[in-house]
């Protein structure tokens, strides 16, 4: 009995460390507990990506509720978008810029991958960043307050689920490895399945079947379309394109929900 209890405690501890690893990677929340073991838990941490998205969405809903009582809707939409980007340390927006510079460069695969590693942002990257943020702003500001609240909750979950679905269906493009490759393992498909169930459940709880159908459709269209393009251009996906997948999926979900207006 004592041995069984010790085993349960160890399993719970591993889950907590994996959760903290995901929290540290996907947000700027300063959680230092067991940070030295992050390398050991990268692959396990992907199970918690949708949950982190949910927590990010809850923070956005709170901001929307408070700011909505004090400020005009357009200003609230701006603040929410800034929060959704800043809470992740602008990590995924950086992926959008790098992916645009590489994928839209019309260069061979090897040169495109090299461009994406360059810390400098080119014209393509700047234009794509502006388009993504403007698209999100236009979509969110077009929604009614209740539907905007739903979108703020669902968008971060959908974006992280899209990352998992891409990892489950596409190989990693860099043979030398990279940040994105640290999360790849035989757990990807299981994590993607769990994430999809979680996304559907949260969508149904937050709204209704129609909203859930729109969200799922936007997620699948984005993942299939963008990952296919990455596969054709790069032979797979990278950490940058996974980040871009998150942002583009959030944009697609926001735009899709404007059909409810």
């Amino acid at each position: 009995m004592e041995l069984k209890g010790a085993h349960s405690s160890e399993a719970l501890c591993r889950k907590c460390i994996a959760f903290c690893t995901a929290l540290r990677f996907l947000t700027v929340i300063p959680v230092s507990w067991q940070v030295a073991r992050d390398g050991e838990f990268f692959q396990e941490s992907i199970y918690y990506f949708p949950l982190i998205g949910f927590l990010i969405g809850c923070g956005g809903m709170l901001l929307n509720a408070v700011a909505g009582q004090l400020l005009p809707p357009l200003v609230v939409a701006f603040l929410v978008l800034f929060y959704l980007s800043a809470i992740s340390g602008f990590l995924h927006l950086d992926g959008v810029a790098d992916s645009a510079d590489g994928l839209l460069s019309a260069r061979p695969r090897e040169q495109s991958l090299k461009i994406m590693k360059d810390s400098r942002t080119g014209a393509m990257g700047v234009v794509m960043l502006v388009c993504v943020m403007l698209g999100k702003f236009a979509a969110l500001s077009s929604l009614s307050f209740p539907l905007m609240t739903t979108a703020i909750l669902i968008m971060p979950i959908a974006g992280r689920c899209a990352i998992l679905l891409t990892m489950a269906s596409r190989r990693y493009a860099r043979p030398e490895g990279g940040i994105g490759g640290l999360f790849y393992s035989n757990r990807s498909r299981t994590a993607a399945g769990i994430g999809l169930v979680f996304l559907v459940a949260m969508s149904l709880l937050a709204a209704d079947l129609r909203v859930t159908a729109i969200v799922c459709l936007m997620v699948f269209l984005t993942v299939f379309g963008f990952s296919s393009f990455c596969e054709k251009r790069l032979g797979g996906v990278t950490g940058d394109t996974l980040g871009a997948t998150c942002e583009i999926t959030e944009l697609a979900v926001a735009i899709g929900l404007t059909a409810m207006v």
Side-chain angles (χ1 to χ4, degrees), residues 178-226:
I179 293 179
L182 296 174
F183 295 90
Y184 266 75
S185 72
N186 55 9
R187 297 181 172 94
S188 298
R189 291 186 177 181
T190 302
I194 294 173
L196 187 58
V197 170
F198 184 78
L199 174 63
V200 170
M202 289 298 102
S203 298
L204 289 172
L205 287 174
D208 54 29
L209 187 59
R210 185 182 174 192
V211 168
T212 303
I214 291 174
V215 169
C216 291
L217 177 63
M218 292 299 102
V219 169
F220 281 116
L221 287 178
T222 303
V223 170
F224 176 76
F226 186 61

Side-chain angles (χ1 to χ4, degrees), residues 18-51:
F19 171 79
C20 289
T21 299
L23 190 66
R24 280 188 286 266
F25 182 76
L26 294 177
T27 74
V28 294
I29 297 174
V31 179
S32 59
W33 180 66
Q34 296 289 342
V35 64
R37 300 183 67 184
D38 276 1
E40 180 185 346
F41 287 91
F42 279 139
Q43 294 179 358
E44 290 184 44
S45 71
I46 63 174
Y47 290 117
Y48 299 96
F49 278 23
L51 179 58

Side-chain angles (χ1 to χ4, degrees), residues 36 69 81:
Q69 302 299 316
L81 282 179

